[in-house]
């Protein structure tokens, strides 16, 4: 990946991902690869790379190498979710181990793109599947899953918090809006703009993919106190007159 270095693209990415002093991405460093280039590397290595080797990628100084590691985990997890394998006890334990690696290195997903490209397809998908996480036998263990996400949501780390919100994209896609609504309420007053965007985005998906009335009910309860950015993101799919109504309601 370093051999593909592009200094012009690197400069663009350093500005785009806010790496200047005082910005949320300060300290991050880039090689200068576009996401399709990183995905091509993942296609070449994901199948043959041992799970124990992935943390080396996740600890890299380079943003794109960390993304590569996260996408390797996504690929490995995805291959273990086919209908034939979903309830297999050995496969369940493999998925749980991938999740452990992901969570153990969550701080390495230290920008919004790293979270958004990984959390729904690992953590979010895991919420829908049988697990042995913390147990001897497989099961859905809904209360334990909520406890795990609550720990992320209550963390002092911005990226763990964003994981707890953005991972609900997957559960909402599968018709379960409860995860999104729970963590949207929990993060409603978070001070960071990146969380405002995440909350609004996930709420918009509830209206788009499940039921617009659920979104309206949430807004009826919370629109007056929502950060304006979160509200704007949440109502993007609504008609112009309804968007105006909610913005004035606030």
């Amino acid at each position: 990946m370093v051999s593909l270095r592009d200094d012009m693209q690197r400069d663009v990415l350093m500005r785009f991902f806010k790496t200047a002093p005082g910005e949320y991405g300060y300290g991050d460093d880039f090689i200068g690869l576009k996401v399709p280039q990183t995905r091509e590397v993942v296609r070449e290595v994901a199948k043959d790379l041992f799970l124990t080797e992935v943390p080396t990628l996740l600890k890299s100084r380079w943003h794109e190498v960390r993304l590569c590691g996260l996408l390797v985990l996504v690929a490995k997890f995805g291959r273990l979710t086919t209908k034939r394998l979903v309830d297999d006890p050995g496969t369940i334990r493999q998925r749980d181990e991938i999740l452990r690696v992901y969570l153990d290195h969550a701080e390495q997903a230290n920008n919004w793109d790293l979270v958004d490209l990984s959390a729904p397809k690992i953590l979010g998908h895991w919420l829908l599947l049988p697990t042995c996480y913390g147990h001897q036998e497989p099961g859905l263990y809904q209360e334990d899953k909520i406890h795990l996400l609550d720990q992320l949501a209550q963390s002092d780390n911005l990226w763990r918090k964003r994981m707890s919100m953005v991972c609900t994209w997957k559960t909402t896609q599968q018709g379960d809006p409860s995860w999104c609504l729970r963590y949207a309420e929990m993060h409603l007053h978070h001070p960071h703009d990146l969380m405002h965007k995440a909350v609004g985005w996930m709420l918009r998906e509830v209206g788009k993919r499940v039921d617009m009335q659920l979104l309206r009910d949430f807004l009826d309860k919370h629109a007056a106190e929502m950060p304006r950015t979160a509200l704007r993101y949440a109502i993007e799919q609504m008609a112009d007159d309804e968007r105006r109504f909610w913005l004035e309601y606030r």
Side-chain angles (χ1 to χ4, degrees):
M1 294 181 75
V2 173
S3 73
L4 300 172
R5 183 184 180 107
D6 182 332
D7 287 336
M8 186 175 296
Q9 178 68 10
R10 176 180 180 272
D11 291 342
V12 170
L13 293 171
M14 296 281 281
R15 289 192 299 272
F16 182 73
F17 286 107
K18 308 295 184 184
T19 62
E23 295 182 317
Y24 61 77
Y26 177 63
D28 205 354
D29 205 353
F30 288 77
I31 301 171
L33 272 63
K34 296 181 179 179
V35 173
Q37 291 176 287
T38 301
R39 289 192 182 278
E40 181 60 33
V41 175
V42 172
R43 281 192 288 270
E44 292 177 8
V45 306
K47 185 181 292 187
D48 298 323
L49 201 67
F50 290 115
L51 184 61
T52 53
E53 295 176 299
V54 176
T56 300
L57 301 177
L58 299 178
K59 294 173 185 176
S60 172
R61 62 174 285 197
W62 303 111
H63 184 103
E64 297 93 335
V65 177
R66 296 197 304 280
L67 175 58
C68 180
L70 292 167
L71 293 179
V72 168
L73 292 180
V74 167
K76 287 183 176 297
F77 194 93
R79 285 199 295 271
L80 300 174
T81 60
T82 61
K83 188 174 182 180
R84 179 176 63 86
L85 295 174
V86 70
D87 293 314
D88 174 69
T91 302
I92 290 171
R93 289 181 172 82
Q94 289 180 63
R95 290 197 302 259
D96 287 347
E97 186 56 32
I98 291 170
L99 180 72
R100 282 193 183 89
V101 172
Y102 183 64
L103 295 178
D104 285 349
H105 298 85
E107 283 82 359
Q108 300 304 113
N110 60 345
N111 217 309
W112 58 264
D113 64 316
L114 302 179
V115 172
D116 296 359
L117 290 171
S118 60
K121 293 183 178 179
I122 299 175
L123 181 57
H125 203 165
W126 175 82
L127 293 174
L128 298 164
L129 299 170
T131 177
C132 293
Y133 205 91
H135 297 271
Q136 295 298 315
E137 298 297 330
L140 291 175
Y141 301 114
Q142 200 77 345
E143 289 186 3
D144 287 351
K145 291 179 179 182
I146 291 171
H147 178 67
L148 188 150
L149 246 65
D150 282 356
Q151 287 183 313
L152 290 174
Q154 294 161 7
S155 166
D156 293 332
N157 182 269
L158 173 63
W159 310 114
R160 286 182 178 268
K161 287 180 181 291
R162 188 171 171 102
M163 283 178 181
S164 71
M165 191 70 247
V166 174
C167 77
T168 68
W169 191 9
K170 183 68 175 182
T171 52
T172 297
Q173 283 180 323
Q174 297 301 311
D176 182 358
S178 64
W179 297 95
C180 174
L181 298 176
R182 176 182 179 85
Y183 293 100
E185 280 197 332
M186 195 174 292
H187 293 306
L188 200 60
H189 300 293
H190 194 282
H192 204 292
D193 182 64
L194 286 176
M195 290 304 298
H196 301 170
K197 292 176 180 178
V199 168
W201 171 26
M202 292 301 104
L203 287 171
R204 182 185 71 212
E205 292 300 303
V206 168
K208 177 181 176 182
R209 298 178 181 275
V210 182
D211 187 349
M212 188 62 77
Q213 190 56 47
L214 279 176
L215 173 56
R216 293 187 182 107
D217 291 344
F218 185 94
L219 295 176
D220 192 50
K221 184 178 179 181
H222 295 294
E225 59 180 326
M226 288 177 69
R228 195 166 186 84
T229 298
L231 180 59
R232 284 188 175 279
Y233 270 59
I235 63 178
E236 279 183 351
Q237 294 292 316
M238 294 179 174
D240 290 346
D241 57 343
E242 187 168 10
R243 288 205 304 274
R244 283 193 296 271
F245 168 79
W246 288 114
L247 288 171
E248 292 169 3
Y249 183 98
R250 184 182 183 283

